[in-house]
Amino acid sequence: MNKQEFVDRLRVSLSGRISPALVEENARYYEDYINTRIRLGEPEENVLKELGDARLIARSIVAAENEKTGAEEKIYNSSEEDARRGVRFRHFFHMSSLPPWALPVIAGGSLLLLLVVLGLVFRLVLHMLAWLWPVIAIAMILLFFIKLFRDWLH
């Protein structure tokens, strides 16, 4: 595939799903991007391989536009290749479909849960040290006397 085929496939994949002005804007953007990378010395094949399939890029553009405008989620018609494999593409659930207050509530609840778990772990460690403190103190005293007598004997 060459640059022109890529841009044409992108135009066809976008047409009818977003406004004609946005179709042209995106087609020009990708055409300019490819031209710039070619002028910087990269082979056209490598640039197109990095970009991937124009249809997938079109789906991303349409999804972003639908999110921005709050449009209803759509089921896309499959391409011939996808139809042979029996694949149908759908938009997935996006966080932006949550009410505006939900994300701070979820984040705050997660932070609170994390603080509670850390507090319980800290309390458990301190509780274990409280039980072990007499054993640790006796062991330290014994080690001190052993070292003292060993140094005294030598």
Side-chain angles (χ1 to χ4, degrees), residues 5 23 25 30 34 51 55 93 100 113-114 143 145 154:
E5 290 171 343
V23 171
E25 179 183 328
Y30 280 97
I34 294 166
L51 284 174
R55 292 173 297 177
F93 173 78
L113 180 63
L114 176 67
L143 287 173
F145 281 115
H154 291 295

Side-chain angles (χ1 to χ4, degrees), residues 55-94:
R55 292 173 297 177
L56 293 177
I57 293 173
R59 287 188 187 111
S60 298
I61 293 168
V62 171
E65 188 60 26
N66 285 344
E67 256 187 57
K68 191 165 56 173
T69 61
E72 189 83 15
E73 300 287 334
K74 298 178 184 176
I75 299 174
Y76 294 116
N77 294 327
S78 301
S79 67
E80 292 175 23
E81 175 186 331
D82 295 332
R84 280 196 302 272
R85 293 185 316 199
V87 177
R88 296 188 77 188
F89 292 95
R90 294 179 181 262
H91 286 289
F92 295 102
F93 173 78
H94 295 287

Side-chain angles (χ1 to χ4, degrees), residues 24-129:
E24 283 310 307
E25 179 183 328
N26 282 289
R28 274 194 311 272
Y29 170 82
Y30 280 97
E31 192 168 15
D32 291 343
Y33 176 82
I34 294 166
N35 287 335
T36 302
R37 298 277 302 268
I38 291 171
R39 268 182 279 166
L40 292 174
E42 286 191 52
E44 184 178 76
E45 302 160 3
N46 291 356
V47 176
L48 294 174
K49 188 182 287 187
E50 278 182 33
L51 284 174
D53 190 353
R55 292 173 297 177
L56 293 177
I57 293 173
R59 287 188 187 111
S60 298
I61 293 168
V62 171
E65 188 60 26
N66 285 344
E67 256 187 57
K68 191 165 56 173
T69 61
E72 189 83 15
E73 300 287 334
K74 298 178 184 176
I75 299 174
Y76 294 116
N77 294 327
S78 301
S79 67
E80 292 175 23
E81 175 186 331
D82 295 332
R84 280 196 302 272
R85 293 185 316 199
V87 177
R88 296 188 77 188
F89 292 95
R90 294 179 181 262
H91 286 289
F92 295 102
F93 173 78
H94 295 287
M95 290 297 285
S96 65
S97 63
L98 291 173
W101 54 266
L103 194 56
V105 169
I106 292 169
S110 300
L111 182 62
L112 183 62
L113 180 63
L114 176 67
L115 289 175
V116 167
V117 168
L118 287 176
L120 289 174
V121 168
F122 185 69
R123 184 173 177 186
L124 179 66
V125 168
L126 287 179
H127 190 69
M128 288 174 42
L129 284 176

Side-chain angles (χ1 to χ4, degrees), residues 131-148:
W131 279 93
L132 291 175
W133 174 245
V135 175
I136 294 171
I138 292 171
M140 289 175 64
I141 292 170
L142 286 174
L143 287 173
F144 173 74
F145 281 115
I146 290 171
K147 179 157 177 45
L148 181 70

